[in-house]
Amino acid sequence: LDGTEVDTRSEEDGHHDFAVMPDGGITFIEYDVLDGEEGDRLVEISPDGEETVIWSVWDDFTSEGGSGGIGTTFSHFNAIDYYEDEDAYHVSSLGFGGLFKVDRGSGELQWTMGGDESDFYLPGGDTDLFDKNHQFHRLDETMLVFVNSDEDTACSEAREYAYEGTGGEVEL
């Protein structure tokens, strides 16, 4: 951090987060407007500068499902990680109150964890796993999720969920 500029790239509609790919490229979250409504998408930039849209929230959802909040998109993507062993992205969507797993090669949504469309549920069937979710980390067989504070407690949390595969019961 000596002030030397190595490389700079400006993405006008990019926001919140990006993931560095094994080949040196990057994938970032970008606004995606459809019929005047703003959603989000994942865009990959190869080391030679070629841009590829991997997945858009519009591929699987409508704006009726999300509630991103004032000044944000309805989906409000706010974190992205790439997992080479799965060749997949995990994305946090504040608007949907959940995480998405997207296959990098096909661009298909593999699962949703949390929110109304969740493939996972707590004992008893509740799919409201977290609200105000932001960054996350996949560990061996668990998902660690950072959840912003709520008005009642004024305390943020890190919640760890044990899960298997593509859906089913999770353990908090």
Side-chain angles (χ1 to χ4, degrees):
L1 299 175
D2 64 0
T4 302
E5 188 171 303
V6 176
D7 189 16
T8 301
R9 180 175 182 121
S10 178
E11 291 297 332
E12 184 175 322
D13 291 327
H15 64 91
H16 276 86
D17 200 8
F18 65 94
V20 177
M21 305 304 293
D23 66 1
I26 63 167
T27 302
F28 65 97
I29 299 168
E30 181 178 67
Y31 296 120
D32 189 12
V33 179
L34 179 68
D35 298 328
E37 294 188 89
E38 281 190 353
D40 296 295
R41 65 183 175 186
L42 307 181
V43 178
E44 187 173 305
I45 303 174
S46 67
D48 66 4
E50 182 180 339
E51 291 190 19
T52 304
V53 174
I54 300 297
W55 179 73
S56 171
V57 70
W58 297 111
D59 294 343
D60 292 282
F61 300 99
T62 67
S63 61
E64 295 171 12
S67 60
I70 297 170
T72 66
T73 67
F74 75 91
S75 49
H76 192 132
F77 290 2
N78 56 25
I80 180 174
D81 284 343
Y82 173 72
Y83 295 99
E84 188 172 13
D85 64 323
E86 297 179 330
D87 195 26
Y89 296 101
H90 292 188
V91 181
S92 175
S93 172
L94 180 69
F96 283 94
L99 305 177
F100 301 130
K101 178 182 175 183
V102 177
D103 182 77
R104 180 181 179 216
S106 68
E108 291 182 18
L109 180 64
Q110 299 293 297
W111 51 247
T112 300
M113 180 183 285
D116 293 341
E117 303 292 327
S118 185
D119 296 304
F120 299 89
Y121 50 87
L122 292 167
D126 187 6
T127 62
D128 189 18
L129 305 182
F130 28 78
D131 186 26
K132 300 182 183 173
N133 51 291
H134 278 64
Q135 187 58 328
F136 56 89
H137 292 284
R138 184 194 73 180
L139 304 173
D140 289 334
E141 294 183 15
T142 64
M143 187 72 71
L144 186 63
V145 181
F146 177 82
V147 181
N148 275 357
S149 67
D150 63 29
E151 293 77 27
D152 296 332
T153 64
C155 181
S156 297
E157 297 178 338
R159 298 183 189 165
E160 188 170 7
Y161 296 86
Y163 72 100
E164 289 185 26
T166 59
E169 190 171 276
V170 297
E171 182 180 316
L172 177 59

